Amino acid sequence: MLKIAIQKSGRLSEKSLELLAEAGISVANSDRKLVAQASNFPIALLYLRDDDIPQCVYDGVADVGVVGENVLLETGYALDVVERLGFGKCRMSLAIPKSEKYDDVAWFNGRKIATSYPKILQDFLDRSGVQADIHHISGSVEIATGVGIADAIFDIVSSGSTLLSNGLKEVDVVLHSEAVMVGKKIALEQEKAATLEKLLFRLQAVQKGRKNKYVMLNAPTASVEKITAVIPGMKSPTVVPLAQDGWCSIHSVLPEGQIWEIIDQLHSLGAQGILVMPIEKMIL
Ligand code: PRP
Ligand code: ZN
């Protein structure tokens, strides 16, 4: 039984469970007990506080864990990133009151910065040659300047609304983070390693599906060549004749991030009835 630590509640917990569900793994645990077994896959979930996950994996209490890179870095455990999970994207930034004039990072010299991530911040300050006073608090970092316990904060920024509503502006992005699966690759016994491999295969299929769209369109047979050049697809696009003479239907897979650009091109090449659909799983 492969033991996977995931966040009990908070930023990553729902998305972690969603990913497992899309990988066909059912875990019934309405009351979020500490441990829950999947009914159709040899894994058990350990629900933990995110800050405790790296140590838990490092000590072998769990075999792998789902955690933000920011937490992994802050705790400093030497673990392997087994898989990047593509959700929980955020940045870690320095922010100061909106009214302050800011030129560069030297602004922080001699200032007091509140954060829950003292290690990551200290590393950044050292790299930047800045001497500042780090004030370590465990939560509600965003109110630190307002209540006068710090001149600036260093915290997670996702939408930016927390900064905005606290009268702060982001002045330096220190790092980007997302959810990752961590573990110690060499430490796994054979059976667990096989389970992990099977799990990763599924997670990758779900993630590839999320990053791509299935596209169908109708096109005059005369433009098929030009259109297929714009949409290469997984191997090559499927082209099927329509009942109406001189027309084809073309099916392909396109990367989510380029969809609109490609649709504009398809449109100008005479494509009609363009349908864009989500892909649930994608195995190459
Ligand atoms: C983080 C951070 C901010 C907020 C930023 O807190 O401390 O409060 O998210 O997100 P935004 O830019 O979308 O407003 P989190 O939700 O992780 O809770 P925690 O600080 O209690 O761990
Ligand atoms: Zn937290």
Side-chain angles (χ1 to χ4, degrees), residues 7 50-51 117:
Q7 193 183 15
D50 61 350
D51 306 336
Y117 297 86

Side-chain angles (χ1 to χ4, degrees), residues 15 18-19 22 36 48 64 67-68 82 99 109 122 194 197 199 243 248:
K15 294 248 166 73
E18 227 172 82
L19 181 62
E22 284 181 38
L48 301 173
V64 291
V67 73
V82 182
S99 54
N109 272 309
Q122 188 63 62
E197 204 177 314
L199 175 67
C248 287

Side-chain angles (χ1 to χ4, degrees), residues 7 9-11 49-51 70-71 116-117 138 156:
Q7 193 183 15
S9 65
R11 184 169 284 277
R49 275 188 22 167
D50 61 350
D51 306 336
N70 55 326
V71 173
S116 312
Y117 297 86
S138 63
I156 293 174

Side-chain angles (χ1 to χ4, degrees), residues 261-273:
E261 241 168 72
I262 297 177
I263 285 179
D264 288 344
Q265 294 181 52
L266 294 173
H267 212 207
S268 59
L269 288 170
Q272 294 179 4

Side-chain angles (χ1 to χ4, degrees), residues 158-264:
S158 176
S159 64
S161 65
T162 302
L163 293 186
L164 196 68
S165 58
N166 286 280
L168 296 164
K169 62 178 174 189
E170 188 176 6
V171 293
D172 215 315
V173 178
V174 171
L175 64 93
H176 290 268
S177 169
E178 71 178 276
V180 289
M181 181 173 279
V182 295
K184 290 187 286 182
K185 276 183 193 155
I186 44 162
L188 286 185
E189 58 197 56
Q190 212 182 352
E191 200 188 310
K192 287 181 174 182
T195 303
L196 179 60
E197 204 177 314
K198 225 172 135 183
L199 175 67
L200 292 178
F201 176 80
R202 294 190 185 190
L203 297 184
Q204 284 158 9
V206 173
Q207 285 205 77
K208 276 195 207 105
R210 286 177 175 179
K211 284 186 199 144
N212 291 280
K213 297 285 176 210
Y214 192 75
V215 177
M216 286 165 77
L217 57 92
N218 295 331
T221 312
S223 354
V224 166
E225 211 171 310
K226 278 189 182 148
I227 286 181
T228 53
V230 178
I231 46 167
M234 281 205 272
K235 268 212 170 67
S236 78
T238 309
V239 181
V240 278
L242 291 185
Q244 185 183 340
D245 237 13
W247 282 82
C248 287
S249 171
I250 303 178
H251 303 195
S252 193
V253 170
L254 299 178
E256 153 105 273
Q258 295 168 32
I259 283 286
W260 287 110
E261 241 168 72
I262 297 177
I263 285 179
D264 288 344

